[in-house]
Each structure stands twice: as C-alpha cells, then as structure tokens.
C-alpha cells in the first residue's frame, strides 16, 4: 500500500489559525523582527513567507532589509536595539549571512528569550539539558509531523541523516528526549543504508537530492524529508519521493511538508517568547 502523505501545509494552516484566534483577543500583540542582509533570493523568499505569516497571525512585525556590505558593528548594533525593544519579542536574523559577517557572533548576540530560531548556544544547551526555552523551528516541525501520524516515538528506532546544529542535532536530541533509540548519520557514515533500513522513523536533512532511495527505507517507516533543493527550477527534497512512497508508511512531500510546518513553529515560538517576556520583566 502506498504511503500516507503527511500534509504539512494543512497541519500548519490549522496551527496558524489557532495562533490567529489567540492573538485576536490579546491587547499586546507578539512582535517579531525579521532581519535580512543582502539579497540572497532563497533567503528573500523565506523572509517574505515569515513576514506574511506573522502579519496573517496578527503579530506586530518589523522587517529590516540591510545592505550586503553592512559592517558587523552596525548589524550587532541593530540586534542590540531589537533586544531592548519591548514591543519586539522575537528576533530572527536570516542565515546565511554574507562572508564578511561572523554568523555565530551575530546569532549569539540575540537575547536567549528573544531567540525564536533557537540557534543560540544557550537555547541549544538547554535543549541538551531537557530544559528547553525555544527549540529550533525545523526540529519542532519534524517532531510534530511525526506525531501527527499517531505513531508513538517512544521505543522506535529513529535515524536522522544530517548533523547540523540547526536541524540534524536538535532533531536527534528531541527524538531522544521522546525515548526513541537514535542514530545520526552524516557525510562520513559508511554504508548508510544499513542504518536507514532499520529506521521506523527516518528524518533526512542533508541537502542532497535523491539521497534516500526506496532500497534504503524500511517498509512502513515514517519518512520526514527536511531537504530543500532546487533541481531544474523545481523544488525537491532529499528523498526520492515517488519511489520511497511505495514502501514508507507515511511521508512528507517537498514542497508542502516540513517547510510550512517550520514557519508555523516559528510563529508558535514567537508567541511563546511574548509569554516569556512577561516572566523576564517581573
Ligand atoms: P547543512 O548545515 O549543510 O548540513 C547538512 C548535513 O547533512 C551535514 O551534517 C552533512 O554531513 C550531512 N550530509 C551531507 N551530505 C551527506 C551525504 N551524502 N550522506 C549523509 N549525510 C550527508 O544543512 P542544514 O542547514 O542542516 O539543512 C539541511 C537541508 O534541510 C537543506 O536542504 C536545507 O535547505 C533544508 N532545510 C529545510 C528547512 C525547512 O524548513 N524545510 C529548514 C532548514 C533547512 P557532515 O556534517 O559530515 O558534513
């Protein structure tokens, strides 16, 4: 039987509707600052979506389109100002940044309670200690999509392909926290199929089109494709969707899977950041 398609767009839409409903009755609105440096076309698309979502959800949104050659000092100054603004609860600096800017330094300058991306060492460290303030939106999206299938994570063999600090590692940690037995594969993994073939849950975040073929997937597995690749003007994931769906139990499409869900999680994180700001101001 072909896999059930996990409709990330539909699930994300209902989450956004819920947020919108909550925000409607709020006196103070959640505030999100979106900072973009330069004119990377992919980043522009992502930031446009985030701006659209936040406005639709009824958030207060400030967008900063900064020149490609902005100095590190000026960018850090802006982040510091946003950290201090009471009407801004979440600060997001779109990555990647131009080469002359130190991404780590800039990301780390965001106040932890405003770190809606969950990329600062403190946010990631807290995730490691099972004391999460804000988990990275894409990892949260992957977990939510797995849970949307009704399949229990506890006790399952989960394999995560990719070990970036913003997707692979936090997803692996969250699966571990939910009591899966977790294996992380990466570019130096030998015979990756031996691991993926045993996965009840397979999350792929490598940025390599068609990395995961039908032969590498266990029958009935939940397959979450995080990858976004542009091939011949078309967006595709890391999984050979058409073939893998013949063996998987559940699978996310690209587009329409993890992407929209990540954006919904970002809005949830911003709402949470506003709630946190009340605690921090006490
Ligand atoms: P990244 O920082 O480039 O990390 C890629 C990871 O994949 C690395 O750990 C790398 O291993 C591993 N890898 C690369 N080639 C591999 C191979 N042939 N076999 C096994 N592992 C391999 O990328 P990222 O930021 O985590 O993003 C991953 C993908 O997700 C990208 O396509 C990105 O566009 C997409 N993404 C989607 C969303 C969304 O909302 N849908 C959000 C974020 C990212 P090494 O560590 O050994 O180099």
């Amino acid at each position: 039987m072909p896999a059930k398609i996990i409709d990330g767009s539909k699930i994300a839409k209902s989450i956004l509707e819920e947020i919108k409903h909550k925000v409607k009755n709020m006196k103070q609105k959640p505030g999100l600052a979106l900072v973009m440096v330069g004119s990377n076309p992919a980043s522009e698309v992502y930031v446009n979506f985030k701006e659209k979502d936040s406005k639709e959800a009824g958030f207060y949104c400030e967008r900063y389109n900064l020149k490609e050659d902005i100095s590190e000092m000026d960018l850090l100054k802006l982040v510091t100002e946003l950290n201090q603004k009471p009407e801004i609860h979440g600060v997001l600096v779109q990555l990647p940044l131009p080469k002359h800017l130190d991404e780590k330094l800039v990301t780390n300058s965001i106040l932890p309670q405003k770190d809606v991306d969950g990329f600062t060492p403190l946010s990631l460290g807290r995730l490691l200690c099972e004391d999460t303030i804000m988990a990275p939106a894409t990892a949260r999206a992957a977990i939510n999509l797995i849970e949307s299938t009704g399949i229990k994570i506890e006790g399952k063999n989960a394999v995560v392909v990719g070990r970036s600090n913003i997707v692979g590692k936090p997803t692996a940690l969250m699966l571990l926290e939910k009591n899966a037995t977790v294996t992380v594969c990466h570019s130096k993994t030998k015979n990756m199929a031996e691991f993926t073939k045993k996965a009840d849950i397979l999350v792929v975040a490598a940025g390599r089109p068609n990395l995961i073929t039908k032969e590498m997937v266990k029958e009935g597995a939940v397959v979450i494709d995080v990858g976004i690749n542009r091939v011949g003007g078309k967006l595709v994931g890391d999984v050979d969707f058409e073939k893998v769906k013949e063996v998987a139990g559940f699978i996310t499409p690209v587009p329409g899977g993890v992407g929209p869900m990540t954006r919904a999680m970002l809005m949830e994180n911003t709402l949470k950041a506003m709630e946190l700001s009340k605690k921090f101001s006490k």
Side-chain angles (χ1 to χ4, degrees):
M1 204 165 65
K4 290 198 177 122
I5 312 299
I6 306 173
D7 189 342
S9 299
K10 193 171 158 198
I11 303 170
K13 202 170 166 213
S14 75
I15 292 172
L16 283 173
E17 277 303 316
E18 238 174 77
I19 295 175
K20 194 172 158 182
H21 186 71
K22 270 191 202 162
V23 171
K24 208 172 144 192
N25 301 315
M26 286 176 173
K27 229 176 172 180
Q28 189 196 10
K29 307 295 181 195
L32 178 64
L34 298 166
V35 180
M36 184 176 154
V37 182
S39 54
N40 177 323
S43 294
E44 184 132 13
V45 172
Y46 295 140
V47 175
N48 288 346
F49 271 133
K50 288 168 190 173
E51 187 180 18
K52 181 173 163 275
D53 287 344
S54 69
K55 286 189 173 158
E56 274 177 19
F59 289 10
Y60 167 67
C61 183
E62 288 183 7
R63 178 170 173 162
Y64 296 85
N65 294 308
L66 307 174
K67 285 202 178 118
E68 182 93 27
D69 62 354
I70 187 171
S71 70
E72 201 164 81
M73 183 81 96
D74 285 346
L75 180 56
L76 289 172
K77 212 173 125 209
L78 172 66
V79 173
T80 308
E81 279 167 22
L82 294 171
N83 280 341
Q84 286 161 359
K85 271 192 166 179
E87 66 273 32
I88 293 296
H89 306 101
V91 179
L92 187 150
V93 178
Q94 185 67 38
L95 302 180
L97 291 174
K99 292 257 177 315
H100 69 284
L101 301 168
D102 182 341
E103 272 187 10
K104 270 197 184 146
L105 185 72
V106 173
T107 305
N108 296 355
S109 68
I110 299 170
L111 270 185
Q113 61 268 34
K114 294 196 178 188
D115 174 26
V116 284
D117 256 339
F119 292 170
T120 64
L122 194 80
S123 301
L124 291 168
R126 291 189 86 129
L127 184 63
L128 186 71
C129 300
E130 295 171 18
D131 177 25
T132 312
I133 301 188
M134 227 87 73
T138 306
R140 289 196 57 220
I143 300 294
N144 270 281
L145 290 171
I146 296 164
E147 291 183 330
S148 77
T149 65
I151 303 255
K152 277 228 165 326
I153 293 176
E154 181 162 317
K156 297 291 188 305
N157 279 336
V159 172
V160 179
V161 179
R163 57 174 166 178
S164 70
N165 288 341
I166 61 171
V167 189
K169 281 183 201 159
T171 304
L173 281 173
M174 289 177 86
L175 286 164
L176 190 62
E177 200 181 325
K178 289 190 177 282
N179 296 320
T181 302
V182 184
T183 305
V184 179
C185 298
H186 45 80
S187 69
K188 307 290 184 289
T189 301
K190 301 244 186 312
N191 303 322
M192 194 162 70
E194 274 180 27
F195 300 99
T196 58
K197 196 78 190 141
K198 291 189 187 130
D200 305 305
I201 295 167
L202 178 60
V203 181
V204 193
R208 299 281 180 272
N210 289 324
L211 178 67
I212 303 298
T213 60
K214 182 181 173 182
E215 295 69 35
M216 297 167 81
V217 176
K218 182 176 173 179
E219 208 173 311
V222 179
V223 179
I224 307 293
D225 191 354
V226 181
I228 301 178
N229 309 288
R230 196 166 283 279
V231 177
K234 232 181 109 191
L235 281 189
V236 298
D238 292 346
V239 175
D240 180 357
F241 180 81
E242 288 307 324
K243 290 275 188 293
V244 170
K245 80 172 196 263
E246 291 169 13
V247 286
F250 296 88
I251 188 167
T252 57
V254 179
V258 178
M261 197 63 179
T262 296
R263 285 161 33 210
M265 295 297 102
L266 180 69
M267 297 303 126
E268 270 196 3
N269 277 357
T270 307
L271 195 58
K272 192 173 170 200
M274 188 176 85
E275 282 153 16
L276 272 175
S277 75
K278 290 179 190 150
K279 269 195 196 166
F280 278 91
S281 65
K282 271 183 193 157

